[in-house]
Amino acid sequence: MEKQISILFLFLLFINFIPISTGHEQMHETSHHHGSFKLLVFGDSYVDTGNLDKSSFSWMKPYGTTFPGKPAGRFSDGRVLTDYIASFMGIKSPLPYVLRKNKTKSDLKQGMNFAYGGSGVFNTVYNATNMTIQIDFFQKLLENHLYTKPELRSSVALVSVTGNDYTTFKAGNGNKTIEGTKAFTRSVINQMTENMKRIGELGLRKIMVTGMQPYGCLPIETSAMSGFKSCNETENEWAKFHNKLLRKAVDRMNSEGGGFVIGILDLYQAFMSAFKGDSHSGESENPLKPCCVGVNGNSKYRCGSVDEKGEEKYAICNHPHSSIFWDLVHPSQNGWHSVYLALRPELHKLKLKL
């Protein structure tokens, strides 16, 4: 039954998608959809393309040095997951929500990105716009007739939840026993379920949601424990439990037939595949080591930090284009490209079968 639902979802979701080739350092975006097809994005820094204000590190050097050549609000040296998903669909990345003013409807024809770096399904330690509010923004635009019902029916939502709620839980005073952790994970999945139902009820018929990446392999988790040499398997078990509950929730929603179909992007396996790939070499032979870090290992500084005199307090690796992680949390463009390549083969195989 699960296999049938998965194939049905991918048929409905990708029937209009035209996979396109992406170069290692350059991605050619070609719009094959001149009609109503759009991508609506909700979530966190893994999909945010510029919604945070200019005080964010995502708007500071050296972020954006690979693409577009200067800081542009992405938490990477270049493209992020949204860019690769949009390109696979044959459209340009949708405009960030905060940049919508004074834009014509033609400027918004690719859709819109409501994601904010640091956000979660709940409020987080980063004080970012949570997903409920992001969906509120979307609903308000619909009330103002920005997108029609037929446009939404042929479009797709991308929902990214990759760990900010858990970072907040770890930093708080909640019950961090095994049972307390599991209870919190259930609350995250329950809220994700409500969010996806609401997105579907607003008119979107196709929803992609990310599974949790291997949280214990993020450089911020591996640095103190192993010097970026091995993953924290306790944290990875947490991510696996999240993904198990997410799969059950998605299967349940798909079987209920609410008028929309949900599919999961398996970031856990895609990241693991990227770690084992041959896209990193030299000093980046260790795929868990970030390229951009604060100088001298000083916890006061991080990628993008400057002191009161404006002096750079970060260091960049010699081969950023072969790294998997850009900073302590976020993949580099090469990392996202590797993750995308790991996600793509199954999509191509299913496309050929159809």
Side-chain angles (χ1 to χ4, degrees), residues 22-321:
T22 60
H24 184 66
E25 295 184 9
Q26 182 176 8
M27 190 164 56
H28 302 283
E29 295 174 326
T30 305
S31 179
H32 298 284
H33 301 281
H34 301 289
S36 59
F37 184 86
K38 304 180 191 313
L39 177 64
L40 289 307
V41 184
F42 307 87
D44 50 32
S45 58
Y46 276 18
V47 292
D48 182 6
T49 55
N51 276 315
L52 288 181
D53 63 42
K54 296 298 178 69
S55 66
S56 166
F57 277 95
S58 60
W59 286 100
M60 299 177 185
K61 295 180 179 180
Y63 289 84
T65 52
T66 298
F67 172 84
K70 61 181 180 179
R74 289 170 172 81
F75 283 87
S76 179
D77 64 313
R79 296 171 175 87
V80 296
L81 182 60
T82 296
D83 301 301
Y84 284 100
I85 295 296
S87 182
F88 183 84
M89 295 176 178
I91 63 173
K92 294 181 179 179
S93 285
L95 189 77
Y97 172 75
V98 297
L99 302 181
R100 74 196 183 284
K101 293 181 180 179
N102 302 320
K103 299 292 184 180
T104 66
K105 189 162 185 178
S106 176
D107 295 321
L108 307 177
K109 65 182 178 181
Q110 312 295 344
M112 192 168 293
N113 190 332
F114 300 91
Y116 283 75
S119 73
V121 296
F122 304 124
N123 292 330
T124 71
V125 291
Y126 305 108
N127 295 318
T129 302
N130 68 40
M131 197 174 295
T132 296
I133 298 174
Q134 293 175 28
I135 300 171
D136 289 342
F137 292 158
F138 175 48
Q139 181 172 350
K140 186 65 176 179
L141 293 181
L142 296 183
E143 291 170 356
N144 292 332
H145 308 292
L146 180 63
Y147 300 126
T148 66
K149 289 183 179 180
E151 285 178 319
L152 294 180
R153 283 196 294 269
S154 64
S155 299
V156 173
L158 171 61
V159 177
S160 174
V161 178
T162 59
N164 292 319
D165 293 293
Y166 296 115
T167 300
T168 302
F169 174 75
K170 289 170 60 179
N173 298 317
N175 180 3
K176 298 182 181 65
T177 64
I178 293 176
E179 286 308 312
T181 298
K182 287 185 175 181
F184 181 74
T185 303
R186 292 187 185 95
S187 70
V188 170
I189 297 300
N190 288 341
Q191 187 59 49
M192 288 179 68
T193 300
E194 292 303 312
N195 290 344
M196 289 186 285
K197 284 182 178 179
R198 187 178 168 203
I199 290 170
E201 289 167 355
L202 287 172
L204 282 157
R205 294 293 174 259
K206 302 155 194 166
I207 301 171
M208 292 183 292
V209 60
T210 61
M212 182 75 73
Q213 78 280 23
Y215 189 88
C217 296
L218 299 181
I220 196 170
E221 293 292 328
T222 65
S223 58
M225 183 184 73
S226 69
F228 308 114
K229 293 178 181 177
S230 63
C231 299
N232 182 329
E233 293 306 326
T234 300
E235 301 287 2
N236 280 352
E237 287 302 316
W238 193 352
K240 289 177 183 177
F241 183 66
H242 170 103
N243 290 339
K244 178 181 178 180
L245 296 186
L246 178 62
R247 169 61 65 187
K248 289 182 178 179
V250 166
D251 287 347
R252 183 175 64 252
M253 284 189 283
N254 283 335
S255 66
E256 288 172 353
F260 52 90
V261 184
I262 305 170
I264 297 174
L265 295 177
D266 189 354
L267 290 190
Y268 194 99
Q269 292 304 323
F271 270 70
M272 287 300 189
S273 177
F275 298 154
K276 297 174 183 177
D278 58 5
S279 59
H280 40 84
S281 58
E283 71 175 307
S284 295
E285 197 170 60
N286 176 1
L288 305 182
K289 186 176 181 180
C291 178
C292 183
V293 294
V295 295
N296 302 323
N298 190 331
S299 60
K300 178 181 177 181
Y301 301 118
R302 48 158 290 176
C303 183
S305 290
V306 295
D307 63 15
E308 59 278 2
K309 298 178 181 179
E311 182 180 344
E312 295 174 353
K313 292 296 180 179
Y314 58 87
I316 302 174
C317 64
N318 292 330
H319 305 286
H321 299 312

